[in-house]
């Protein structure tokens, strides 16, 4: 794998025809260290956000020892990449019975989530009535404070939660309660309110709870979305957790995806055509810009030229490379007004749910992956006074 200082070095030397993924291992390791040092419990990385083996190794080096996996393919990948020392938790509440059996028997997975009696029965069957399980009941909580809802699909409602908690307690060696406040939660209240639901469920069921897992949802920084410091989130969670009616030995877990990997990568794209304020670029809705297209997410952009443009900024939208009208990213993306075909653009903060969403539709696939050593276009973890970009040829 090549290494360059920045996107400019890659554009100048490689003149890439396909989109190039620029990875910043140092940014992933910094995010991992932050969670390991500051989150008041165990942080497990939600592998779905970006399953790259290089990223997994970087997070491991940064101190992340626990991994939230959601499919048998993710179970195998993490085992293969990180070996037996990694702890895997299978936190998808609806799993194939065969996947549970393989995870338990072949990969040492002992923690599973569920949100129904059917899933509990499935886990008991697939593990042959194992007595060494940590089972986490997924509670339905509000996604009101988050940019992407996860409130409809999974989770048991407050009314049915007590019965499921009691039934799970009968089977589990350790009983957990988990939830997910939705992705990119813009205020710590999201967690405070969800922990109130947890309290109500514990009181109603009168069970002993060994694990409280606050899920993912920790935000990253994007244009128009600048969350407060993660430490405020951690404080709110810590206070909420400490006030629950649980024993002193109960554990606090989280499953950050986005916050651990958003800064890890960006994508260098080429402009193939300009039509007024619309740029036709070589990556899009079926590539790493899925969220930019489907949920109108705004990512930071930067024109990558040796001589910086003096033109005023103009708002652009993008079309991706496939023959589909839906391959459209509305933005707006602010770039110098003189951008033209042949120019390269760096689209930042694509480490989470970027590369992970890529398809090969229409024959447009990923190009090279290149390591760069400059800073990401935004950061939750860097001191504010540090410049976020450095322009210089590698
Ligand atoms: N945990 C579970 C169960 C999830 O479904 C997800 C995302 O869908 C995550 C963790 C990661 O969420 P985020 O990337 O918002 O931190």
């Amino acid at each position: 794998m090549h290494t360059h200082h920045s996107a400019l070095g890659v554009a100048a030397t490689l003149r890439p025809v396909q989109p190039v993924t620029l990875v910043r291992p140092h940014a992933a390791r910094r995010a991992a260290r932050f969670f390991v040092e500051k989150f008041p419990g165990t942080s497990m990385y939600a592998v779905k956000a970006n399953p790259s083996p290089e990223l997994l190794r970087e997070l491991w080096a940064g101190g992340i020892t626990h991994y939230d996996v959601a499919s048998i393919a993710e179970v195998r990948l993490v085992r293969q990449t990180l070996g037996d020392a990694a702890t895997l938790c299978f936190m998808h509440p609806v799993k194939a019975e065969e996947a549970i059996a393989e995870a338990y028997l072949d990969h040492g997975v002992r923690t599973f989530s569920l949100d129904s009696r059917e899933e509990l029965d499935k886990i008991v069957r697939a593990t042959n009535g194992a007595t060494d399980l940590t089972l986490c009941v997924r509670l339905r909580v509000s996604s009101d404070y988050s940019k992407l809802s996860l409130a409809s699909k999974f989770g048991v409602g407050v009314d049915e939660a007590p019965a499921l908690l009691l039934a799970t307690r009968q089977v589990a060696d350790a009983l957990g309660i988990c939830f997910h406040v939705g992705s990119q939660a813009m205020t710590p209240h999201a967690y405070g309110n969800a922990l109130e639901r947890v309290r109500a469920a514990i009181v109603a069921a009168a069970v002993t709870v060994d694990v409280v897992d606050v899920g993912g949802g920790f935000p990253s920084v994007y244009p128009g979305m600048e969350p407060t410091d993660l430490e405020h989130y951690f404080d709110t969670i810590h206070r909420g957790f400490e006030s629950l009616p649980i024993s002193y030995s109960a554990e606090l877990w989280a499953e950050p995806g986005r916050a651990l990997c958003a800064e890890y990568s960006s994508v260098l794209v080429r402009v193939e055509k300009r039509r007024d304020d619309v740029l036709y670029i070589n990556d899009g809705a079926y590539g790493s810009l899925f969220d930019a297209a489907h949920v109108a997410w705004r990512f930071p952009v930067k024109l990558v030229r040796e001589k910086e443009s003096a033109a005023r900024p103009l708002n652009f939208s993008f079309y991706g490379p496939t023959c589909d009208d839906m391959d459209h990213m509305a933005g707006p993306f602010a770039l110098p007004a003189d951008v033209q075909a042949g120019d390269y653009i760096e689209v930042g903060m694509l480490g989470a749910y970027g590369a992970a969403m890529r398809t090969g539709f229409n024959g447009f696939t990923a190009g090279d992956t290149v390591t760069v050593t400059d800073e990401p276009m935004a950061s939750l973890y860097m001191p504010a006074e540090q410049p976020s970009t450095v322009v210089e040829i590698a």
Side-chain angles (χ1 to χ4, degrees):
M1 201 193 280
H2 310 277
T3 299
H4 280 272
H5 175 62
S6 68
L8 188 54
V10 181
T13 56
L14 301 181
R15 307 301 302 169
V17 174
Q18 288 178 298
V20 172
T21 305
L22 305 172
V23 298
R24 294 178 171 84
H26 71 283
R29 198 179 291 211
R30 179 166 56 202
R33 290 217 175 103
F34 185 92
F35 267 84
V36 169
E37 281 166 22
K38 309 223 158 150
F39 182 74
T42 300
S43 302
M44 46 181 161
Y45 173 56
V47 174
K48 64 179 77 68
N50 188 332
S52 143
E54 292 76 27
L55 170 62
L56 292 175
R57 281 191 279 269
E58 212 56 54
L59 295 174
W60 176 263
I64 299 286
T65 53
H66 288 55
Y67 295 80
D68 155 22
V69 286
S71 61
I72 195 63
E74 288 184 356
V75 171
R76 293 176 193 147
L77 172 77
V78 179
R79 266 290 166 261
Q80 214 175 345
T81 309
L82 300 177
D84 289 340
T87 302
L88 275 54
C89 301
F90 207 153
M91 302 308 280
H92 192 310
V94 184
K95 295 169 284 300
E97 200 163 319
E98 295 82 351
I100 301 169
E102 182 184 327
Y104 181 81
L105 293 170
D106 299 347
H107 303 287
V109 179
R110 293 293 176 266
T111 302
F112 298 88
S113 76
L114 62 129
D115 65 359
S116 67
R117 253 330 266 258
E118 292 77 7
E119 189 73 9
L120 180 60
D121 294 343
K122 218 194 273 177
I123 293 168
V124 170
R125 277 197 307 272
T127 61
N128 261 324
T131 55
D132 56 354
L133 300 176
T134 297
L135 299 181
C136 296
V137 171
R138 169 103 168 237
L139 211 56
R140 184 176 310 159
V141 300
S142 151
S143 273
D144 286 354
Y145 296 104
S146 302
K147 293 290 176 184
L148 295 173
S149 174
L150 290 171
S152 321
K153 190 167 180 179
F154 298 127
V156 61
V158 169
D159 292 347
E160 313 99 272
L164 187 57
L165 282 165
L166 287 167
T168 307
R169 179 78 272 180
Q170 306 294 311
V171 172
D173 177 47
L175 174 66
I177 299 190
C178 61
F179 58 79
H180 198 302
V181 298
S183 203
Q184 186 75 4
M186 292 306 293
T187 155
H189 297 314
Y191 295 90
N193 292 356
L195 285 165
E196 280 308 311
R197 287 252 182 130
V198 170
R199 166 196 301 288
I202 294 174
V203 169
V207 282
T208 307
V209 167
D210 308 296
V211 173
V212 176
D213 175 356
V214 300
F218 298 94
S220 193
V221 188
Y222 303 92
M225 293 186 225
E226 271 120 30
T228 180
D229 289 350
L230 280 183
E231 278 160 276
H232 294 152
Y233 287 72
F234 296 172
D235 286 347
T236 300
I237 290 167
H238 192 226
R239 263 184 281 126
F241 174 72
E242 291 281 302
S243 72
L244 291 175
I246 47 179
S247 81
Y248 282 112
S249 60
E251 292 181 22
L252 174 64
W253 298 356
E255 303 165 13
R258 180 186 302 283
L260 284 177
C261 64
E263 297 177 25
Y264 174 62
S265 67
S266 56
V267 173
L268 183 69
V269 301
R270 189 168 72 171
V271 179
E272 304 296 2
K273 169 185 164 168
R274 173 170 177 178
R275 189 183 82 195
D276 306 320
D277 58 357
V278 184
L279 303 178
Y280 292 64
I281 60 176
N282 62 352
D283 202 9
Y286 300 92
S288 60
L289 298 177
F290 182 96
D291 279 342
H294 295 290
V295 290
W297 206 272
R298 288 175 58 212
F299 293 93
V301 291
K302 185 174 70 176
L303 182 59
V304 178
R305 273 197 203 149
E306 278 177 47
K307 193 169 176 315
E308 220 173 296
S309 169
R312 70 197 157 79
L314 190 69
N315 281 336
F316 290 89
S317 63
F318 297 157
Y319 272 126
T322 69
C323 302
D324 180 352
D325 263 10
M326 277 183 7
D327 196 355
H328 176 246
M329 285 62 67
F333 302 102
L335 288 160
D338 64 351
V339 61
Q340 57 190 11
D343 272 328
Y344 286 93
I345 296 168
E346 182 177 4
V347 185
M349 309 301 282
L350 279 168
Y353 309 107
M357 306 303 288
R358 197 172 261 299
T359 75
F361 180 49
N362 229 161
F364 295 101
T365 51
D368 292 336
T369 296
V370 178
T371 301
V372 288
T373 57
D374 66 348
E375 293 298 353
M377 287 165 76
S379 181
L380 275 172
Y381 309 105
M382 264 188 338
E385 56 280 4
Q386 231 169 296
S388 62
T389 54
V390 183
V391 178
E392 157 195 326
I393 299 180

